[in-house]
Amino acid sequence: MDETLREAADLVATAERVVIFTGAGISAESGVPTFREALTGLWERFDAAKLATPEAFDEDPALVWGWYEWRRALALTVAPNPGHIAATEILADAGHATLITQNVDDLHERAGATGVLHLHGSLFTPRCSACARPAALSPAPDGEPGRITPPPCDRCGAPIRPGVVWFGEALPTDGLEAAVEAAANADVLISVGTSGLVYPAAEIPQVTARMGGAVIQVNPEPTPLDPVARVNLRGPSAEILPALLRQSRPST
Ligand code: OAD
């Protein structure tokens, strides 16, 4: 690991334009479940088709709204981990920095990141399912997921929906365009904690590689991004990102 960490740190230290691209794995050590991990992942325990699609919401808004409110409540009970904090610091050291996340929690923001590009939306930006008017956040429920009737839009009365991207829905175009632009111009893109399975988000690290930038991957497991990565740092991000930050700063 030392050799690969040194190689990654040299890439980061000499990069002018740095992008960090994250998935659920960066929040795992905060206690937020990932999606596809055996036994603990959300999609291992719940059926995505019954919870994360527009059809599911139309069919049973209370089931879907209750599940996302449970996920929001969970996100509020946990804290950013050293990986989130190191990511903020690594970007602060760069001349030009962009943080792109697939995550819908607010842990990057709570770790001091600003201007975060949320490709899949956020648990903290509910909106009207009909007129898209932003809605206020209600007090988060406690306990396990249960059915909660979504509140009505105060303008048109339609049910409020989570501000997240569901399967079959387009990603917010402004976020995706900005993310592709940042990835295309990046000297280094650090991909952290993503299985690289869900497109178009999974395309982001590949854009950097295609444009000649260096991709560094941080993940305890191999992923389809392995061949795209210049350096693969195998391990948990709460350990690796702080080590990468230390190694990339000039030794005092
Ligand atoms: P996944 O659950 O698919 O993948 C999580 C990745 O994090 C896996 O590759 C794990 O090996 C890795 N991982 C686990 N613990 C880690 C740790 N401590 N440090 C670093 N990596 C760790 O989650 P995503 O790739 O984020 O989209 O999933 C992408 C999208 O699929 C999500 O945004 C969501 C989901 O369906 C929508 O719902 C639209």
Side-chain angles (χ1 to χ4, degrees):
M1 166 61 79
D2 286 353
E3 191 37 50
T4 47
L5 187 69
R6 196 164 302 115
E7 188 183 349
D10 289 348
L11 286 167
V12 171
T14 52
E16 168 63 20
R17 306 177 73 87
V18 177
V19 171
I20 295 184
F21 171 67
T22 65
I26 196 168
S27 296
E29 287 161 281
S30 292
V32 179
T34 60
F35 288 92
R36 294 169 179 85
E37 291 201 272
L39 302 180
T40 58
L42 287 172
W43 298 149
E44 291 289 320
R45 291 154 52 206
F46 298 99
D47 180 349
K50 288 199 176 59
L51 291 164
T53 62
E55 296 74 23
F57 184 75
D58 292 344
E59 191 185 314
D60 191 345
L63 176 72
V64 175
W65 178 253
W67 189 69
Y68 279 94
E69 283 294 84
W70 166 73
R71 286 181 59 192
R72 180 166 69 91
L74 182 66
L76 289 170
T77 61
V78 299
N81 66 59
H84 293 104
I85 294 160
T88 304
E89 296 286 308
I90 288 169
L91 290 174
D93 288 352
H96 189 281
T98 310
L99 180 51
I100 305 166
T101 189
Q102 300 169 88
N103 299 340
V104 294
D105 62 49
D106 62 344
L107 292 173
H108 280 305
E109 287 82 354
R110 285 163 57 197
T114 54
V116 181
L117 295 176
H118 280 267
L119 296 185
H120 292 161
S122 166
L123 293 168
F124 298 87
T125 55
R127 64 175 190 269
C128 176
S129 56
C131 73
R133 181 187 177 92
L137 287 170
S138 340
D142 52 14
E144 284 300 304
R147 299 163 63 83
I148 303 176
T149 303
C153 170
D154 57 16
R155 177 162 66 186
C156 75
I160 297 301
R161 59 159 286 174
V164 301
V165 175
W166 281 326
F167 290 105
E169 290 188 317
L171 275 59
T173 39
D174 48 351
L176 183 59
E177 279 166 14
V180 170
E181 171 84 11
N185 294 309
D187 300 311
V188 167
L189 179 141
I190 309 171
S191 176
V192 186
T194 182
S195 55
L197 296 172
V198 175
Y199 283 80
E203 189 69 27
I204 294 296
Q206 303 183 44
V207 169
T208 298
R210 269 203 301 276
M211 298 299 285
V215 173
I216 298 165
Q217 181 175 218
V218 178
N219 196 317
E221 305 292 333
T223 77
L225 292 174
D226 277 31
V228 171
R230 180 93 54 94
V231 184
N232 274 300
L233 300 175
R234 284 272 181 271
S237 47
E239 200 180 292
I240 289 198
L241 287 179
L244 178 59
L245 173 68
R246 280 192 302 277
Q247 190 92 25
S248 68
R249 281 183 165 167
S251 42
T252 41

